[in-house]
Every structure is written in structure tokens, then in C-alpha cells.
Amino acid sequence: MKKIFSTLAISTLLIACNQNNQPTQKTTTDQTSSSPVQIEQSKYAPYSKDEVEAKVQALTQIVENDTEYLPAAVKQAQSFLESWNKYPEALKSMMESDLDPNNAEYSNHIPMEMEQPALSVRAQITSRESQSAFNVQGAIEYILEIQSTNDQPFVLQGMSINRGRCGYYTADFHSKMPVQMSYSSTVSYLLKCRGDQVLEAELITDQGNVNLSF
């Protein structure tokens, strides 16, 4: 009997020791409270969603209407659209950019007020008796005189009379092209056709062409 009690005592002692050696399990509440709380950063930060979406919509308008805007502006807008939601630096650059479909600087059309004004000149055809020794007495020669009424100087580089069908000679040394013309200066050219045959002339200058009618 003493042996049975001794065996029971030893068994009870072993069970107690095993219970004391088991690791303490954390409750579900403890596990939840100890895990770090992760807050996802907004892809629009530090801007608002409405601000970013408005900018994206404006850039999309430039890309979709690429013929209306300068190629460099279209390329830049497309680059922003592809990268703004991937890189914070790209988002910042996009929002600070002045790219806008209403910005005239990026338009592919030159506003009328930005176009260079047409040059102002006047021209007349006069006739006189030929001064060439090779012409018979009483022969008539026709002279085209061009006078600048333009405020700013320009360079006369060439001329086409009747779409190239009527040639001309330089009437004097000072009219040899290219010639710089300032306000009121005049150049003269001998025509290779009769004066009444001249319908139009195109003056080629360093500031654009000028069309004349007679």
C-alpha cells in the first residue's frame, strides 16, 4: 500500500512539473495588440485626389489631341501620365508643370497677334525712251520701281514677275540684289516685257514674301 501511495505521489509531482514548464500562450487579444498597425500611403499625397485627377485629365486632353499641340508638349504629357502613380518625384513634377491644354505657349497654332506683320512697300511701272545704244531710236523701255514704306529695314533678296514669265535687269548699281531697304528707299529694274503685260510680282525678302498686283 505504501508503494502505491509513493507511486501516486511521484506521478502527481511529475504532472505538476510538466504544467509549470509549458510556455504561456498569448491570447488572441494580446497578439492583435502587439502587431504593428500599417497605414497605406495615398498615391495622391501630398496632393488631393481631385487635384491630381484634374491634372491627369488636362494632360490626357493634350495627348489625345496631339496635332493641336507642340510635339515636345505632347511627349512630356505622355511621360507624366505613364509615371506619376509610380514615382513620387514624377507626381511632384507633373503637378508643378505648367502643361495645360489652354496654355497658348504649347499650341501648335500661332495666334494672329503673334504673326509677323506683312512688309509695307509700294511699286509702280514707268516708261521712258530707251537709253541703250543697241535699241533703235524711239524704243521704249519699262522700269519697275519699288519703294519701301516699312518702318523697319528689310533685305530684298529676289523677285518673280508674272510668276517668272517676265525677266528683268538691274537698272543701277544700288539696286543689285540682295539690297537692304529702309523707309523711303527705292530700287529700280528694267523689265524684259512691256509694262502693260505685268500683272503681278512677288518680292522675296528676309522677312517673308510680298505679293504685288498691277
Side-chain angles (χ1 to χ4, degrees):
M1 193 72 174
K2 289 182 179 180
K3 185 177 181 180
I4 294 174
F5 284 143
S6 176
T7 302
L8 289 174
I10 293 173
S11 298
T12 303
L13 181 61
L14 289 174
I15 293 171
C17 291
N18 288 336
Q19 289 178 347
N20 291 334
N21 290 333
Q22 288 181 355
T24 304
Q25 295 182 351
K26 294 183 178 180
T27 64
T28 304
T29 305
D30 292 340
Q31 290 177 349
T32 304
S33 61
S34 62
S35 60
V37 178
Q38 296 180 350
I39 302 176
E40 184 179 355
Q41 181 77 11
S42 171
K43 66 178 181 179
Y44 304 106
Y47 308 97
S48 69
K49 179 180 179 181
D50 292 340
E51 289 175 332
V52 175
E53 288 184 345
K55 189 70 173 182
V56 168
Q57 184 176 2
L59 298 183
T60 301
Q61 182 177 340
I62 294 177
V63 173
E64 291 180 348
N65 300 275
D66 55 343
T67 58
E68 300 292 325
Y69 302 95
L70 296 176
V74 176
K75 184 176 181 180
Q76 185 66 49
Q78 191 168 15
S79 176
F80 283 143
L81 292 175
E82 293 174 352
S83 60
W84 73 266
N85 57 349
K86 300 177 183 177
Y87 310 104
E89 298 81 2
L91 173 61
K92 183 175 183 295
S93 298
M94 181 183 76
M95 297 303 294
E96 293 180 354
S97 170
D98 61 352
L99 272 176
D100 187 278
N102 298 319
N103 191 338
E105 293 183 6
Y106 300 108
S107 174
N108 207 21
H109 302 286
I110 302 176
M112 293 298 294
E113 61 271 16
M114 295 178 63
E115 293 181 353
Q116 188 174 11
L119 296 176
S120 175
V121 298
R122 65 182 182 182
Q124 64 176 353
I125 298 175
T126 60
S127 60
R128 70 184 182 190
E129 186 175 348
S130 177
Q131 299 176 1
S132 173
F134 298 98
N135 291 335
V136 296
Q137 186 176 1
I140 302 298
E141 58 188 12
Y142 298 90
I143 303 172
L144 172 60
E145 294 180 346
I146 302 170
Q147 185 176 42
S148 171
T149 55
N150 205 60
D151 291 333
Q152 301 298 325
F154 64 91
V155 177
L156 179 61
Q157 300 172 328
M159 180 169 55
S160 176
I161 303 173
N162 281 357
R163 303 179 184 180
R165 293 179 174 85
C166 179
Y168 58 91
Y169 299 103
T170 302
D172 54 61
F173 176 79
H174 300 289
S175 301
K176 186 177 181 181
M177 299 181 193
V179 56
Q180 180 167 317
M181 302 189 66
S182 55
Y183 182 80
S184 78
S185 61
T186 304
V187 289
S188 301
Y189 302 95
L190 291 173
L191 299 177
K192 294 183 180 181
C193 60
R194 294 200 317 268
D196 58 356
Q197 294 177 327
V198 177
L199 301 177
E200 62 184 37
E202 182 181 27
L203 308 183
I204 303 170
T205 80
D206 63 333
Q207 298 181 29
N209 295 354
V210 181
N211 294 314
L212 304 174
S213 299
F214 298 92

